[in-house]
Amino acid sequence: LSCGIMKKILLAVCLLAVLAGCSTFRKDDPLPVAGQINLDRFMGQWHVIAVVPTILDRSAHNTTKTYERWDRGIKIAYEFEKGEFGGELKSYNTKAVVDNPGINSDWEVRIVTWPFETDYKILHIEDDYSVAVIGQPSRKYVWIMSRTKTIDDPVYSDIILYLQDLGYDVGKIRRIPQR
C-alpha cells in the first residue's frame, strides 16, 4: 500500500476510535441515578412527555403517572387515553419499594404482583421537581415526565442527549401527544 493510502486508513481508524469514545457509558455499565430525591416533593401527578413505548402504551395519548406514598412504599397509577384524544381510558396500578432509602432514586416496581418486578431508576430530576427522567438498567424503557403537559425544547433536547450518553437507543423514544 502507498504511504497516502496508509495515512488515510490510519486517520479513519483514529477518527473511529475518537467517535467510539464519545459515549460516556456503555450499555452494560450501571446507570447513574439522580442525587437525593425528596419523596414528598416527587409524589403527585406527572405528565409523560416521551417514552420508549411498552406493549401496553404504544398508542397512548394524555399519559400521566401519579405517585402516592403508602406504608410499604409508593403506589403508581399509570393512565392514558388509548389510540386518540378522548379514546378509551386505560389505567394500570403498580407498587414500588425504595431500594436505596435516604437517597430514594432506586426503586423496585411490582408490575402486577410478585414475582414480576423491574428496576426503576430516577436518572434525572430538575431542582424544582418540574421535570424527571425514569429509566431501567437494561436501557430498554425510559420515561420523560413533566409537571406540565409540555417541556421546553432545549430541556427536551438536553435530556435526549443525556440518555444517548447513557447508552439508550434514543431513536426508539416517542413523544406522547398531550393536550
Side-chain angles (χ1 to χ4, degrees):
L1 293 171
S2 73
C3 187
I5 292 174
M6 288 298 290
K7 285 182 183 179
K8 287 179 183 178
I9 292 172
L10 184 58
L11 179 61
V13 169
C14 288
L15 182 59
L16 286 174
V18 168
L19 290 174
C22 286
S23 179
T24 309
F25 294 89
R26 306 277 185 249
K27 286 193 181 243
D28 56 347
D29 287 343
L31 280 175
V33 293
Q36 186 172 359
I37 302 296
N38 179 324
L39 287 179
D40 292 327
R41 287 186 71 192
F42 191 86
M43 296 299 111
Q45 187 178 65
W46 292 85
H47 298 276
V48 180
I49 303 301
V51 297
V52 172
T54 68
I55 194 166
L56 300 174
D57 59 7
R58 287 195 177 128
S59 63
H61 288 61
N62 287 332
T63 303
T64 61
K65 281 191 175 207
T66 304
Y67 299 88
E68 178 186 344
R69 290 183 78 160
W70 67 298
D71 60 343
R72 294 188 189 127
I74 300 162
K75 292 180 184 179
I76 307 168
Y78 188 58
E79 295 184 333
F80 59 89
E81 295 168 0
K82 185 177 180 183
E84 61 188 350
F85 291 113
E88 178 185 1
L89 183 64
K90 293 290 194 175
S91 180
Y92 299 96
N93 297 302
T94 59
K95 295 178 179 169
V97 175
V98 176
D99 280 345
N100 60 349
I103 297 171
N104 304 323
S105 57
D106 191 355
W107 303 0
E108 191 70 33
V109 177
R110 290 178 184 91
I111 297 175
V112 180
T113 58
W114 182 89
F116 300 106
E117 298 178 339
T118 187
D119 284 329
Y120 188 101
K121 297 189 181 297
I122 301 173
L123 305 177
H124 171 77
I125 189 141
E126 292 290 317
D127 291 339
D128 63 357
Y129 284 67
S130 62
V131 173
V133 180
I134 309 299
Q136 292 184 311
S138 67
R139 291 159 172 86
K140 187 173 181 181
Y141 298 110
V142 68
W143 295 264
I144 300 170
M145 306 183 309
S146 173
R147 294 293 187 175
T148 61
K149 291 184 178 190
T150 62
I151 60 174
D152 293 334
D153 286 337
V155 173
Y156 182 80
S157 295
D158 287 348
I159 290 169
I160 295 299
L161 289 173
Y162 179 63
L163 291 171
Q164 185 173 355
D165 283 347
L166 292 179
Y168 278 89
D169 181 352
V170 297
K172 293 181 177 181
I173 296 174
R174 177 177 91 67
R175 279 194 182 236
I176 299 288
Q178 294 277 1
R179 80 169 170 198

